[in-house]
Amino acid sequence: MTKQIRQLDRVVIRFAGDSGDGMQLTGDRFTSETAQLGNDISTLPNFPAEIRAPAGTLPGVSSFQVHFADYDILTPGDAPNVLVAMNPAALKANLHDLPRGADIIVNTDEFTKRNLAKVGYQANPLEDDTLAGWVVHPVALTSMTVGALADQAVSKKDAERAKNMFALGLLSWMYSRPYESTLRFLERKFAKRPELVAANIAAFKAGWNFGETTDSFSVRYEVKPAKMHPGTYRNITGNAALSLGLVAAGVRSGLPVFLGAYPITPASDILHELSKHKRFGVTTMQAEDEIAAVGAALGASYGGALGITTTSGPGVALKSETISLAVALELPLLIVDVQRAGPSTGMPTKTEQADLNMALYGRHGEAPVAVIAPKSPADCFHAAIEAARIALTYRTPVLLLSDNYVANGSEPWLLPEVDSLPDLRVEFATEPNGEDGKSFLPYLRDPETMARPWAIPGTPGLEHRIGGLEKADKTGDISYDPANHDFMVRTRAARIETIPVPEVEVEDPDGDARVLVLGWGSTYGPIGAACRGLRQRGLSIAQAHLRHLAPMPANLGEVLRSYERVVIPEMNLGQLAQVIRGRYLVDAIAYNQVRGLPFTAAELETMLEEVLKNV
């Protein structure tokens, strides 16, 4: 059967099912296939916090959305063009996001009376007018998969589990995806169980062949590769990119890397990834709790390593005393906070930007640290290197604020040339620095960086006091002198405020915009897509994005005051907006949401259009 091939410039697909249906794996494999083809991609995994929510219920729905295009894209897409729904719960949980006319591929085998009742359907939506506004493709995914595996040496239960591979095969056929890498992946994943390798490959091929032969799908689609800068790319998640950035920082500094971590969603993947890189001088330790983890990391820094600890919001609260100790000791320390929705345990698998105040101020006493936030999954690599540069150069703790959206999302990453990465080599103190040539002054500062010497314990002649009690300037002796304390507090603050960081860049193509949209962290994509949409409609608007949140760029005040209105969208209740108002006396407009989900470009575009009308 010859089928029509239709060219598209972009597609958004959402795979949705029970948390045991393998939707994250399915979406990840489709994304890998798409990356291999050369499309630009952006993804949004969304899964329940429960390890195993009740099967077939709304709280148990897991989804994976992938947006791919033949041009540069900034977000995972506001709404899917295609929904693959593995059961009634997946359909009901996601139907409100689908625009009318979108395609729904639904697993009819799961639409039993029992499963329908679990989610409150009084009647089967496949048999009434509930789905009249969409293009529905009923497919008996489960039974067709079991039938395709009838000759395989697997149980019926294992055969049913392979239905996600049937769905992946069908979607790979529909959108002309290369699939060889998926077959190799299955061979590796189930290498110890050859029967599962054969079964999953057979299910994948059955889905592909079903698309090729059925009358239900008369059109096949193609999305051509995107035009991108020449180079070698790989698909990467934010957590993986951040991990590789930390490895690169160790290589470029020549220091051993030590990670002290306690598992916590959504930061645990960094521990898992770094544990694979021992050959690069990386040591990982899973501590008994968050306090032990940061204590070990600070101890590693004291011993001459690049000390790192990873966590999410609740863990940062537990680590705060030790971070304050690192401020007093003036030692480099990286604290990675992959933010999630709070407070307390909150919503561990959902995203939020609500830890900014804690990063800036969440320690006792005057304990300033540098704060950096990556804007996208690929940017996590460079943000990690920048955080290490500041920590090592200025002898300070640095908080790296990622979030769940960035950490688990993925996009193409251009592999950099190693020689293009900054030189992070450190000179340790090796001899006395006092005027007498015999004494060592641990708080005698570099006049350029204001950093104190970093002396590895045990170096002859460099004995000095260590601990959290206030230190005397230069000598490091314990001091209760009021004037000295005032001096040291101001000096530590000045050390952070005078760190040179790149000036903020403004994207204002027409040069006549009256409204500036200011963002930080993962709002970069939705803000950029919204501004792009407004400009395509002939409206002028400017955009700026902050990577460095402490210290802030020196030109930020001038930039803010050059626009009539400044709008700050955040996934919190206005934390950056409060900082901007207090520091620069600019009456910024805060636009906030805390739904556990990223902004959509459409909602920001609508909001910004209203602001433009009232300027």
Side-chain angles (χ1 to χ4, degrees):
M1 180 186 299
T2 301
K3 299 201 175 185
Q4 177 187 355
I5 297 179
R6 185 177 301 168
Q7 297 290 333
L8 299 174
D9 62 349
R10 59 177 289 274
V11 178
V12 180
I13 298 174
R14 183 180 296 175
F15 298 91
D18 190 72
S19 58
D21 284 338
M23 293 297 93
Q24 303 304 316
L25 175 63
T26 306
D28 181 70
R29 292 315 311 162
F30 190 90
T31 300
S32 296
E33 294 173 358
T34 300
Q36 182 180 349
L37 190 62
N39 297 124
D40 196 17
I41 52 177
S42 182
T43 67
L44 178 63
N46 191 3
F47 40 88
E50 293 82 358
I51 293 174
R52 190 67 174 90
T57 63
L58 292 174
V61 173
S62 174
S63 68
F64 190 106
Q65 183 164 303
V66 54
H67 182 193
F68 57 103
D70 63 6
Y71 60 89
D72 172 45
I73 56 175
L74 297 171
T75 73
D78 288 355
N81 307 113
V82 181
L83 171 66
V84 180
M86 303 297 280
N87 59 20
L91 176 66
K92 189 165 189 177
N94 293 280
L95 188 61
H96 62 88
D97 289 336
L98 257 67
R100 296 287 171 146
D103 289 295
I104 302 176
I105 299 172
V106 62
N107 181 14
T108 56
D109 289 324
E110 296 298 319
F111 279 69
T112 63
K113 289 184 178 180
R114 184 169 181 266
N115 287 344
L116 291 168
K118 283 183 181 181
V119 294
Y121 276 126
Q122 301 300 317
N124 191 337
L126 305 180
E127 298 174 354
D128 57 23
D129 295 331
T130 302
L131 305 178
W134 294 273
V135 180
V136 180
H137 304 275
V139 181
L141 286 171
T142 304
S143 57
M144 291 180 69
T145 302
V146 172
L149 303 187
D151 297 332
Q152 299 291 327
V154 293
S155 65
K156 183 180 178 182
K157 184 177 181 180
D158 283 337
E160 290 177 349
R161 285 176 174 171
K163 63 181 178 291
N164 64 324
M165 287 298 106
F166 188 104
L168 178 59
L170 173 58
L171 269 293
S172 298
W173 172 85
M174 282 182 65
Y175 291 96
S176 308
R177 303 292 94 185
Y179 60 80
E180 291 80 7
S181 64
T182 293
L183 302 186
R184 292 193 296 269
F185 168 81
L186 292 172
E187 290 171 353
R188 294 193 305 270
K189 181 175 178 61
F190 300 110
K192 295 183 179 179
R193 296 190 62 184
E195 73 278 11
L196 292 184
V197 173
N200 279 277
I201 289 177
F204 180 92
K205 291 182 176 179
W208 180 283
N209 293 333
F210 175 73
E212 187 72 37
T213 58
T214 184
D215 291 334
S216 301
F217 299 94
S218 59
V219 179
R220 193 179 186 190
Y221 302 96
E222 286 186 353
V223 180
K224 293 185 178 298
K227 294 180 180 179
M228 306 175 80
H229 292 293
T232 302
Y233 287 82
R234 60 162 287 188
N235 180 47
I236 200 164
T237 65
N239 273 346
L242 197 151
S243 301
L244 294 181
L246 296 174
V247 173
V251 171
R252 296 297 288 173
S253 66
L255 300 177
V257 172
F258 177 88
L259 173 69
Y262 181 76
I264 183 172
T265 302
S268 299
D269 287 342
I270 302 172
L271 171 61
H272 303 158
E273 180 64 31
L274 284 179
S275 67
K276 303 174 185 176
H277 298 292
K278 296 178 182 178
R279 65 187 182 278
F280 291 110
V282 178
T283 300
T284 55
M285 184 189 82
Q286 179 174 319
E288 65 268 30
D289 56 41
E290 296 281 8
I291 299 172
V294 69
L298 182 55
S301 291
Y302 174 59
L306 176 56
I308 305 163
T309 189
T310 55
T311 188
S312 191
V316 179
L318 292 168
K319 296 177 189 291
S320 63
E321 182 179 3
T322 305
I323 298 172
S324 294
L325 175 60
V327 172
L329 298 180
E330 299 189 32
L331 285 172
L333 178 68
L334 295 188
I335 308 98
V336 179
D337 177 7
V338 186
Q339 299 166 96
R340 69 190 203 187
S344 188
T345 309
M347 299 193 294
T349 61
K350 309 304 178 184
T351 195
E352 208 161 271
Q353 287 182 296
D355 292 351
L356 178 58
N357 281 343
M358 181 164 62
L360 294 173
Y361 312 117
R363 291 161 296 283
H364 61 281
E366 294 286 348
V369 301
V371 181
I372 293 174
K375 65 183 181 181
S376 68
D379 187 50
C380 285
F381 175 84
H382 299 285
I385 293 177
E386 174 67 355
R389 182 191 70 82
I390 291 176
L392 294 172
T393 303
Y394 300 94
R395 310 285 195 269
T396 179
V398 178
L399 262 156
L400 187 57
L401 284 180
S402 179
D403 66 48
N404 188 58
Y405 175 33
V406 164
N408 289 311
S410 62
E411 65 180 355
W413 173 49
L414 175 62
L415 272 65
E417 296 291 338
V418 174
D419 292 341
S420 70
L421 301 177
D423 185 347
L424 303 180
R425 284 175 293 182
V426 174
E427 291 187 8
F428 290 102
T430 58
E431 57 187 22
N433 59 358
E435 292 183 0
D436 58 5
K438 299 179 180 180
S439 60
F440 177 61
L441 303 177
Y443 283 85
L444 181 66
R445 302 179 183 281
D446 182 298
E448 183 177 345
T449 64
M450 298 180 68
R452 77 175 186 89
W454 192 0
I456 296 179
T459 305
L462 304 189
E463 295 84 358
H464 60 283
R465 292 183 180 273
I466 199 74
L469 291 173
E470 184 62 281
K471 304 294 185 292
D473 180 37
K474 296 184 179 63
T475 67
D477 295 335
I478 295 172
S479 173
Y480 294 98
D481 178 64
N484 177 79
H485 179 58
D486 184 271
F487 175 81
M488 294 296 281
V489 166
R490 293 179 186 276
T491 300
R492 286 189 289 262
R495 191 175 89 261
I496 301 300
E497 283 300 315
T498 56
I499 293 173
V501 299
E503 292 191 341
V504 65
E505 296 181 0
V506 179
E507 185 180 341
D508 186 359
D510 297 331
D512 60 355
R514 300 163 67 188
V515 174
L516 172 71
V517 190
L518 181 67
W520 70 277
S522 64
T523 57
Y524 174 80
I527 290 173
C531 290
R532 180 183 290 178
L534 290 168
R535 291 173 190 139
Q536 289 172 348
R537 293 163 50 198
L539 300 174
S540 185
I541 193 163
Q543 175 191 358
H545 208 76
L546 293 178
R547 167 184 276 183
H548 295 86
L549 296 158
M552 289 186 169
N555 69 328
L556 181 57
E558 179 184 353
V559 166
L560 295 173
R561 287 186 286 270
S562 63
Y563 291 90
E564 295 182 32
R565 291 285 187 276
V566 176
V567 184
I568 305 179
E570 296 180 84
M571 292 184 290
N572 56 44
L573 295 183
Q575 295 184 16
L576 177 62
Q578 290 175 345
V579 173
I580 293 298
R581 287 168 178 160
R583 180 162 183 164
Y584 298 103
L585 302 181
V586 170
D587 188 18
I589 300 172
Y591 183 77
N592 309 111
Q593 70 170 32
V594 280
R595 299 186 295 121
L597 294 169
F599 288 109
T600 65
E603 67 181 305
L604 290 184
E605 187 173 340
T606 299
M607 177 271 295
L608 292 172
E609 186 175 7
E610 287 299 312
V611 174
L612 289 171
K613 288 178 181 178
N614 294 311
V615 174

